[in-house]
Each structure stands twice: as C-alpha cells, then as structure tokens.
Amino acid sequence: MADIKITKKSKINAEINVAADKSITHRAVMFASLSSGECIINNFLNSKDCYSTIELFKNLGTKIIEETNKTLRIFGCGLQGLKQPKKELDCGNSGTTLRLSLGIIAGNEIKVKLIGDESLSKRPMARVIEPLSLMGANISAKENNYLPIEIEGNKNLKSITWNSKIASAQVKSAVLFAGMNANGETIYKEPVLSRDHTERMMEYLNIPIKKKENITSITGKVKEIKPFEITVPNDPSSASYFIAMTVLLPNSSMLIKNVCVNSTRIGFINILIKMGAKISFSNPRILYNEPVADIFVESSKLKSIKIKAEEVPSMIDELPLLAVVATQADGVTEIKGAQELRVKESDRIKTITIELQKLGAKIIEQPDGMIIMGNTKLKTIGNEILNSYNDHRIAMSLAVASSICDGEIIIKNAECADISFPEFWNLYRSI
Ligand code: S3P
C-alpha cells in the first residue's frame, strides 16, 4: 500500500460530493440479496468494505451485476434461499459484513466458515454469537469470540428478548436480520440508540418492525421482501473530514451535497456546532426513509467541549477526528465513555493519541477516551512519518491534522482510506 506525502493547506473553497454511505450500502446489498426478485441500488459505495459484502453474497448464491461504478443490479435469493458456499468466506476488514451476515446466515440452512484480515480477526464477536446461538444457530469461534467462525444456520429460529450492554448497530442489525426468520416477536433493547439504518430500511420495505426509543421489535416469519430500488445518500462520516478541514483552515468554506443527516449519525456535526462551528443544513428532504440535506460549512473559532457516554454512539467513527479538531479549540476537551473505540479497526484511542503526539499535540489517553488540550500549534521537525495502522479513519483523521500542520508529513499506508472512501485522496488533493 502506498504512503502519501502531505504539506499544509492555505485555504479551501469548494462544492463537493463525498463517498456514498457505507452502512446503508452494506444493508441495501443484504436486503436485496434476501428479496424475491430484481433490485437496483443507485449510488452504491464502491469501496473495499462494501465489495466484501458483495463478494460474500455472490458466494451465497446472489447474482450481483455492477452495471456502472454507481449502480448495482441484484437478483435476490429470498429470505431463506441462500445457497451452500463452496469455500470459506472472507469478510476482509469489514465488521459490518461479518456481524450482519452472521444474523442472515443464522436463519438459512447452510454451513459457512467465515474469515477476515488481521484487524478483523482481533475484534470481538461474542456480542453477536451469544444472541444468535440463543436463537438457535450453531456457532463456533476461536475462544468463543474471534475469527475464524463456523456457523450452521437453522430455518426454525426462536425469537428472543435481548438486552444489549453496548450500543452497537452491528449487533442490533444481526439480531433483527435473524428475527425476520424467527418464530414470534424478537425484542432488542440497547442502552443508547445506535445508528438505525436497518430499522429504517425494514420500514421502507414493509417488514413488520416497531421502534420506541431504544427498543426495537420485529415480528418474525417474514414471508417475502419485495424487489425494490433505492438510492444511497452520501456518507456523513466521510463528509466529516472535509467539514473539519474547512472549520480549521482560515478563510475557507465548503458545500457538501446530498449527505445523510440521520440523527443517529451526525453527533460530530452537532458537537462541532456546540463548539462554535458555522455549519448549516439546506435542501432537507427524505429519500428512501433517510433524512438527507446539503451541508454548508465555514472557517470557525472553536471552544472546547465535554463528551458524555450517551453522546458517543452518534459519533463513534468520528471521535479520532474530534481529537484532531480539539487540539485547535480554546480550552480542554474531554471524551468519556468511548471504550468501544478500542475494538474498532485499530485501538483508536491509542493510535490517534500516539500519532497526534508526534505532531506536538497534548493528549492524555484514558481507559475510555481522551483528554485533549486545545490551542496547540501542530508542527513537525523535518519529515514526520505518521502511521495509519491500516485503519481508514485514522489515515483520514491524520490527513486533516496534516492539512493544518507546519512541515512535511508522510502517512504510511494512507491508501487504506479506500476501505470507506476510495476517492478521498483525489478529492483531498483537488481542493
Ligand atoms: C456500523 C456500526 C458501527 C460503526 C461501524 C459501522 C454499521 O459499529 O462503528 O463503522 O454499519 O452498523 P458498532 O455497531 O459496532 O458500534
């Protein structure tokens, strides 16, 4: 993978489109694979993680045609029509592919071995194995928690009531997918509402689901998912890097078009606004049951903030970026209750702390978050080499830090941004 060299930017003024939403693309491919006919997904995210899902479902018998680099045509197998694959299935770097697919395979009479890359092989899976086993799937995993995982599905799953200790959309979605094939009503409770794209897509597809605050329930033995067409909005997580850069650079402004502004995803934008950022939404609309808007952002003076545990889920993927932004705010920023960051594609509390410290940032690592001193000039002595740890969100957060940093920086394996945002570096260079 290539290293990328970066120097400080002066100002940016642009109108851009960022990558399509990763979470929504994964789910659209999955629901289409379970449908009873021909589906179209427009503006799908053609990134590495989403190809992991596409390949996995092709190996489970779904016919998926990439009509253009923006459109997929998918011929579904039906809710319990997945085929026995001939080989083990590779989820690559993608936790969403792995955890959600486990929930789907659980209700199909097939036996599958799942593997992934080095990072995914270290991430905890007991959180999905436990509820799915209770529902009747036969699952074994290394140390009952890690890849490789072998799962044997069961056409007669039992419904459960599951009280999750963590706010995780991946666990919730796995249980809801399995719940579609279970007898009776499956109820899922979570401490704070995590991203709700699965529930919204289920509503859009007339799957019998009910939502009340942090409790979601689904009536099982769903007969059919009718063929559908959907257009994926752009990803608020991908937009966040350009929002942060515009806020931090002087005399800058940016319009970012067609972004998903689902409230379970825009915690970072809301926190930036609280910190003093000039950000506004225009052209609000609902597309395929997801709120979408254009986002306008300008250079801003920021003050520090305290992030509490209940605010974490709506900005979980943006917290490394918030650490970058907080180095430039007035005062001390505290992030608490974010221990989940330790089990993402890298241990993001550790990795962002180490790398920002190389640029002179004053950050203290905490077991469940970070304390970040503001008003710190980021600089390097000579050529600083930063490590992305092959984690796309760390690579892109470091790109934002580098854009305001005196001196020349090399980000190692920076191309890992293509896990979620294949055009990131082209866009970064073009503005
Ligand atoms: C995702 C959910 C989040 C997030 C990940 C994508 C999803 O993970 O960090 O990038 O698409 O459901 P958790 O649900 O494990 O918190």
Side-chain angles (χ1 to χ4, degrees), residues 22-23 26-27 96 99-100 127 167-171 173 195 316-317 340 344-345 393:
K22 179 158 84 70
S23 293
H26 282 297
R27 288 158 172 80
T96 310
R99 295 194 178 115
L100 273 58
R127 53 183 66 193
S168 164
Q170 293 179 350
V171 178
S173 301
R195 66 189 65 191
I316 184 74
D317 292 338
E340 272 294 299
K344 294 291 178 187
E345 286 83 327
R393 304 229 177 267

Side-chain angles (χ1 to χ4, degrees), residues 21-34:
D21 194 89
K22 179 158 84 70
S23 293
I24 297 177
T25 299
H26 282 297
R27 288 158 172 80
V29 171
M30 292 173 179
F31 280 111
S33 297
L34 300 176

